Amino acid sequence: MAHEQHYSSKKIILVLDTTAFIAKYQLQAYSPFVEIYTTPSVIQEAKDRESRDSLQLSLDIGRVFIKTPSKNTISEVVKVAREIGEHTSLSQTDIEVIALAKELSRKGKVIVITDDYSIQNTLLYLGISFKPLRTMGIKYFRKYVVRCPKCGYTTSSNETICPICDSRLVKKSS
């Protein structure tokens, strides 16, 4: 009697950041149970010809879907980033990648492909899985405080210079 394997038909959703496209991850991660998404801002960041060609091929054959996260979800991610002190380290593209993953996590299992530690830290806080490509990735969540090393001023805005003493603000683990 032959042993039959049963595979789950549940989709896995991958959200790719720019690093994943530079590594051509979307061409390697083929499975009928995998959907690959990214944001328009990630597409804009993939500038070298080889990355753009492989990305265009992926779009042409339906391997990658482009989706813009809602303004509400982006606002939620910005709020979380401020709470955990990652707001000074995340670009608008990073925030959109996290927001897209948050939205898509309502559809099923989401894994974000990224080497960015600030993205990983925010995802860990939100309970969303990630997979690094060329780094070890982070293992533990860290909360940060953005503060002035001279006068002790702290901020949750995107300030980089202390409004009290004009010193450069630094991100420290709290």
Side-chain angles (χ1 to χ4, degrees):
M1 182 181 250
H3 176 67
E4 290 184 35
Q5 284 188 307
H6 297 280
Y7 294 98
S8 168
S9 61
K10 190 170 180 156
K11 293 268 184 198
I12 294 174
I13 300 166
L14 300 179
V15 176
L16 277 58
D17 79 351
T18 308
T19 304
F21 284 108
I22 291 169
K24 297 181 200 70
Y25 188 84
Q26 78 280 8
L27 296 175
Q28 303 164 33
Y30 178 75
S31 165
F33 305 113
V34 173
E35 290 180 1
I36 299 173
Y37 287 85
T38 197
T39 67
S41 57
V42 167
I43 301 298
Q44 295 302 315
E45 286 187 353
K47 292 185 182 186
D48 67 280
R49 183 179 174 163
E50 195 175 338
S51 296
R52 292 208 61 75
D53 287 350
S54 67
L55 178 56
Q56 191 58 54
L57 173 63
S58 302
L59 293 169
D60 291 346
I61 64 173
R63 287 290 301 135
V64 175
F65 303 100
I66 300 171
K67 186 170 179 357
T68 302
S70 74
K71 288 181 179 167
N72 284 343
T73 309
I74 289 171
S75 294
E76 290 172 23
V77 170
V78 168
K79 183 180 176 194
V80 165
R82 284 188 175 131
E83 286 173 19
I84 65 173
E86 289 289 8
H87 58 287
T88 60
S89 300
L90 294 170
S91 69
Q92 185 61 33
T93 299
D94 298 340
I95 289 166
E96 290 175 12
V97 166
I98 296 165
L100 180 58
K102 188 174 186 329
E103 284 183 3
L104 292 173
S105 67
R106 297 177 195 129
K107 283 178 59 174
K109 171 85 171 151
V110 172
I111 302 169
V112 179
I113 309 299
T114 183
D115 281 334
D116 186 293
Y117 292 137
S118 292
I119 292 175
Q120 292 174 10
N121 196 46
T122 308
L123 291 169
L124 201 55
Y125 182 79
L126 291 171
I128 298 171
S129 298
F130 61 86
K131 179 182 185 291
L133 290 176
R134 297 181 174 145
T135 65
M136 294 293 293
I138 66 168
K139 302 289 184 229
Y140 305 102
F141 166 74
R142 286 193 176 160
K143 189 170 183 174
Y144 295 95
V145 174
V146 179
R147 125 175 341 148
C148 176
K150 287 190 180 173
C151 72
Y153 170 82
T154 61
T155 184
S156 62
S157 73
N158 287 337
E159 297 170 306
T160 57
I161 302 296
C162 178
I164 296 170
C165 70
D166 287 333
S167 296
R168 183 158 195 77
L169 300 174
V170 294
K171 182 173 116 175
K172 298 267 189 184
S173 186
S174 62

